[in-house]
Amino acid sequence: MLPVPKPALDPHVVFDTCTATAKPLTARTRLQALKDTVAKAATEYDTAATNQALHTLTHLQDQPDGKPDKTGGLNAQLKKTYTSRMVHKRSSGRGFYDQLLAGAPDGRCALCGHGIADTLDHQLPKTSYPLLAVIPANLVPACRDCNFYKGEQAPASADKQTLHPYYDGQVHDHVWLFARIVGPPKPGVSFYASPPPDMPPLLAARIRHHFTTLKLARLYNPQAGPELRYLSRSLRQLTPEAIADHLQERAENWTAIEGPNSWQAALYRVLASDVWYTTGGYKEACT
């Protein structure tokens, strides 16, 4: 996960803009009458997200109609406020959509840190939480894979909530992403999440849930292959004594640039510490 600054957008302004041109006029009038309700929901969301407690917002589910709506009621209109009045390229709210998407670091998905951010993910799904459909703090720049894997399920408990890039930057105060070398004779790498004992238990559980739900091992594992092939050639130019130091330096550099829980930092940490790899195993990377 890549930490991203919380959007400096007023939820009241965003909702007002996205609904000001809603058609027909009856729908617009009904939507605009919800301004204060939506603003209150946004405040409750911010408090809950700050306290890692989005699961406590169940009283907002299926509101304002009180039940799932597929027949054109207010819930359906609220969802349409996102799909037709924010996502649509000629819609009144498209500028907000583009601004939120532009918050992606280097254009990358904030949830996995690797894929291209080409959509916005609802941290609490709009299908269950229509009042939050266009709330900026609930919309995170993401890749389509993460958006798909995360799906439409709302967290049923505190430990079943994926990490929130706007609120959970403290996860990188700890090292929890690790890699292991598979081999010899032919080296390979697999990644896994292992939060340290001194991490708060709830945050540790959420990290594991995030890693598993978004299938990050499936994403990160293939990235190691090209890196190993590159190292198989480049490390031959160094003396055996210098190899471990060189790999450790790269681990530190990646940590400084991308954070301690980037796949690159995790990869170079394990390579630098593996005696088999540093004393000649690296030569097998292309076999």
Side-chain angles (χ1 to χ4, degrees):
M1 183 206 80
L2 297 174
V4 180
K6 188 167 61 174
L9 291 171
D10 185 333
H12 194 283
V13 172
V14 173
F15 183 75
D16 185 46
T17 303
C18 290
T19 57
T21 57
K23 294 180 180 180
L25 180 60
T26 54
R28 182 189 314 168
T29 301
R30 295 175 70 198
L31 285 170
Q32 295 240 300
L34 291 173
K35 288 179 185 179
D36 291 342
T37 302
V38 169
K40 181 181 177 183
T43 299
E44 291 184 57
Y45 180 95
D46 183 63
T47 299
T50 300
N51 294 305
Q52 303 182 55
L54 289 181
H55 68 289
T56 64
L57 297 178
T58 51
H59 61 286
L60 295 179
Q61 284 188 340
D62 300 321
Q63 296 301 318
D65 287 346
K67 59 183 180 180
D69 187 346
K70 298 182 180 180
T71 58
L74 273 174
N75 286 7
Q77 285 294 330
L78 284 166
K79 297 168 196 173
K80 191 176 180 180
T81 298
Y82 175 75
T83 56
S84 299
R85 303 172 190 123
M86 178 180 268
V87 177
H88 195 281
K89 289 188 176 181
R90 295 183 179 179
S91 65
S92 57
R94 178 65 190 205
F96 299 127
Y97 182 91
D98 291 339
Q99 185 174 341
L100 290 165
L101 204 56
D106 299 319
R108 291 176 295 160
C109 172
L111 297 177
C112 67
H114 184 75
I116 297 173
D118 52 7
T119 189
L120 295 179
D121 176 75
H122 287 79
Q123 288 289 284
L124 287 182
K126 64 182 183 297
T127 52
S128 302
Y129 293 88
L131 285 173
L132 303 174
V134 294
I135 297 303
N138 192 42
L139 298 171
V140 172
C143 66
R144 296 190 182 275
D145 280 350
C146 284
N147 185 257
F148 174 78
Y149 290 138
K150 188 168 166 292
E152 297 287 348
Q153 291 189 358
S157 60
D159 60 332
K160 297 302 181 183
Q161 178 187 327
T162 54
L163 298 173
H164 199 314
Y166 297 150
Y167 294 90
D168 294 323
Q170 75 273 22
V171 297
H172 298 306
D173 293 342
H174 304 263
V175 177
W176 50 264
L177 182 65
F178 295 90
R180 60 171 65 92
I181 292 180
V182 182
K186 182 179 179 180
V189 173
S190 64
F191 294 86
Y192 62 99
S194 181
D198 62 336
M199 175 176 278
L202 173 57
L203 195 56
R206 291 183 59 211
I207 284 172
R208 295 189 185 96
H209 179 70
H210 185 94
F211 190 85
T212 301
T213 299
L214 301 184
K215 304 183 187 300
L216 296 187
R218 181 177 179 270
L219 173 64
Y220 296 157
N221 289 352
Q223 311 308 318
E227 203 73 11
L228 290 175
R229 290 191 290 274
Y230 163 76
L231 289 170
S232 180
R233 292 176 175 272
S234 65
L235 294 182
R236 296 168 193 256
Q237 304 170 22
L238 303 177
T239 65
E241 296 78 12
I243 289 176
D245 290 340
H246 173 74
L247 294 172
Q248 180 59 37
E249 181 181 4
R250 296 202 69 159
E252 293 169 358
N253 287 339
W254 277 115
T255 296
I257 295 170
E258 290 289 296
N261 299 302
S262 63
W263 69 263
Q264 298 96 329
L267 171 66
Y268 278 98
R269 283 196 301 267
V270 72
L271 295 180
S273 64
D274 190 276
V275 175
W276 169 78
Y277 185 82
T278 58
T279 58
Y282 64 88
K283 297 177 183 178
E284 307 299 325
C286 288
T287 60

